[in-house]
Amino acid sequence: MGGQQDETPPTDVPVWASEPFRIFFPLGVAAAVFGLILWPLHYVGWWPIYPALQHPRLLIFGFGTAFLYGFLTTAWPRFLESSPLSRFEVILLVTGWTLAQLAYAKALIAGGDLLSAATGCLLLIILTGRLFEGGRDFPPSGFALAFLSVGLGVTVLFAWGLQVHRSSPNTDYLLRLLGYQSFLLLPILGVGSYLFPRFFEEKPVLSRKRRATFVWLTALCIIGSFLVEVYLSVSWGNLLRLLAVLAWTVGLVPALFRGRAAAKGTRPWAVRVGFVMLGAAFLTRAILPQETLAFEHLLFLCGFSQLILLVADRVVAGHYHDCVPAPKSRSWQWIVWLMLLTAATRATADLVPSTRISHHIYAAVMLIVIFVIWGVLQMRKPRGEIEKE
């Protein structure tokens, strides 16, 4: 984004509606911070509910959906050369998202799932409507995968809201994998097939048709890996997922393997670290399947969260055309190293039970600090100044 795509037709829609990321990204950070602070509040006795369900819902279907919705509602109309979202559409989406987070905060998990699912359905309807307005038939394949990922997330949320997960342990396990991993991983790979090569100033090495083939085959392999993990083997399921991500990087972002020369700056290095941690998470889950929860935080923190923030950073910079990011960023160096420390701290909480409470608190506080650093970094964008970090 940011000058790479076609401009939308002139409208009188305010900028916050034509570029809804301006609303959704801050809301996503707020949801993440609230979902994190529940752990310290609970352990000091100020939050009576044990937040084992609230925390992941607020982080994935609060933080994750806000950033995904903000990206799609901004980028989708631009690529289709259709009209931006109206004030009313954005207000409806924000209201639905907010009500879902309030339900999660009150521990009304099933109600929050149904509200979140309904909001996702509304988003799909809005985006589908833009397909019939624009001058192009379809958006890039990666964006289409993100669109379908929202549909998959909606399906999982409805299943949770209707208590389908209680039908069997395997159903519950599969829905958790689809809801917690697939909902974030597929959009990252889909949108990343378009954006991540730009971090390395690399032109696509494959034709558009072949890139689409890579994207969809990767998605099918990842979905298949969840079925393998649930019904056959945790180890083989994670190995299949690892191979799918490796194939995706080789085919679509080969600069990730080209050493320091391919990463001119802090953000490309951060992208590389994020994908290394994705691979490490899948590998450790395959080697130690009995400790999947501990190593999932390599995936959710250093992998998903870090890559989401990198994409969002690119979106924000791209929409303030006078802002030229500096090659080196001390802020992003701090974010990456703190992410690694936070993931290690959180994993220790599960691997060493005696440290569980203290490390839960430390990890939550450190991740809040990361979000504050990222938020402050973005607040500097509108000034039209070159970053001096």
Side-chain angles (χ1 to χ4, degrees), residues 97 101 129 153 170 178 180 254 262 340:
W97 180 92
Q101 308 319 306
N170 282 343
L178 292 174
Y180 290 164
L340 291 169

Tab-separated table of all heavy atoms in Angstrom, residues 97 101 129 153 170 178 180 254 262 340:
chain	number	residue	atom	x	y	z
A	97	TRP	N	-17.754	-4.670	16.477
A	97	TRP	CA	-16.477	-5.101	17.056
A	97	TRP	C	-16.418	-4.725	18.535
A	97	TRP	O	-16.024	-5.541	19.386
A	97	TRP	CB	-15.325	-4.445	16.292
A	97	TRP	CG	-13.963	-4.806	16.798
A	97	TRP	CD1	-13.168	-5.829	16.374
A	97	TRP	CD2	-13.228	-4.137	17.846
A	97	TRP	NE1	-11.988	-5.847	17.091
A	97	TRP	CE2	-12.007	-4.826	17.999
A	97	TRP	CE3	-13.503	-3.042	18.651
A	97	TRP	CZ2	-11.045	-4.436	18.929
A	97	TRP	CZ3	-12.547	-2.654	19.594
A	97	TRP	CH2	-11.337	-3.341	19.725
A	101	GLN	N	-16.118	-7.105	22.028
A	101	GLN	CA	-15.052	-6.997	23.037
A	101	GLN	C	-15.631	-6.779	24.425
A	101	GLN	O	-15.106	-7.298	25.421
A	101	GLN	CB	-14.087	-5.855	22.672
A	101	GLN	CG	-13.521	-5.886	21.263
A	101	GLN	CD	-13.137	-7.272	20.792
A	101	GLN	OE1	-12.372	-7.984	21.446
A	101	GLN	NE2	-13.699	-7.690	19.665
A	129	GLY	N	-19.853	-6.461	-1.816
A	129	GLY	CA	-20.533	-5.421	-2.577
A	129	GLY	C	-19.564	-4.609	-3.421
A	129	GLY	O	-19.900	-4.195	-4.541
A	153	GLY	N	-13.057	-17.683	9.869
A	153	GLY	CA	-13.146	-17.233	11.252
A	153	GLY	C	-14.586	-17.076	11.702
A	153	GLY	O	-14.943	-17.438	12.831
A	170	ASN	N	-12.179	-33.893	19.594
A	170	ASN	CA	-11.544	-33.608	18.307
A	170	ASN	C	-12.133	-32.358	17.657
A	170	ASN	O	-11.406	-31.544	17.072
A	170	ASN	CB	-11.684	-34.800	17.359
A	170	ASN	CG	-10.694	-35.907	17.678
A	170	ASN	OD1	-9.704	-35.694	18.383
A	170	ASN	ND2	-10.965	-37.105	17.178
A	178	LEU	N	-8.243	-23.836	14.066
A	178	LEU	CA	-8.740	-22.975	12.991
A	178	LEU	C	-8.975	-21.557	13.482
A	178	LEU	O	-8.683	-20.583	12.782
A	178	LEU	CB	-10.031	-23.555	12.417
A	178	LEU	CG	-9.914	-24.870	11.651
A	178	LEU	CD1	-11.290	-25.393	11.265
A	178	LEU	CD2	-9.056	-24.703	10.393
A	180	TYR	N	-7.650	-20.015	16.344
A	180	TYR	CA	-6.514	-19.314	16.915
A	180	TYR	C	-5.325	-19.222	15.949
A	180	TYR	O	-4.627	-18.216	15.938
A	180	TYR	CB	-6.064	-19.998	18.203
A	180	TYR	CG	-7.038	-19.833	19.356
A	180	TYR	CD1	-6.965	-20.644	20.477
A	180	TYR	CD2	-8.039	-18.864	19.325
A	180	TYR	CE1	-7.847	-20.494	21.543
A	180	TYR	CE2	-8.928	-18.709	20.370
A	180	TYR	CZ	-8.827	-19.524	21.477
A	180	TYR	OH	-9.710	-19.360	22.514
A	254	PRO	N	11.742	-15.017	-1.497
A	254	PRO	CA	13.055	-15.678	-1.388
A	254	PRO	C	14.125	-14.813	-0.743
A	254	PRO	O	15.140	-15.330	-0.286
A	254	PRO	CB	13.399	-15.998	-2.847
A	254	PRO	CG	12.587	-15.043	-3.662
A	254	PRO	CD	11.325	-14.836	-2.896
A	262	ALA	N	20.233	-8.845	1.637
A	262	ALA	CA	18.844	-8.698	1.185
A	262	ALA	C	17.997	-7.888	2.156
A	262	ALA	O	16.909	-7.464	1.805
A	262	ALA	CB	18.212	-10.077	0.981
A	340	LEU	N	11.079	-11.263	21.658
A	340	LEU	CA	11.787	-12.519	21.933
A	340	LEU	C	11.857	-12.793	23.428
A	340	LEU	O	11.634	-13.922	23.885
A	340	LEU	CB	13.193	-12.451	21.333
A	340	LEU	CG	13.272	-12.446	19.799
A	340	LEU	CD1	14.684	-12.100	19.339
A	340	LEU	CD2	12.851	-13.798	19.235
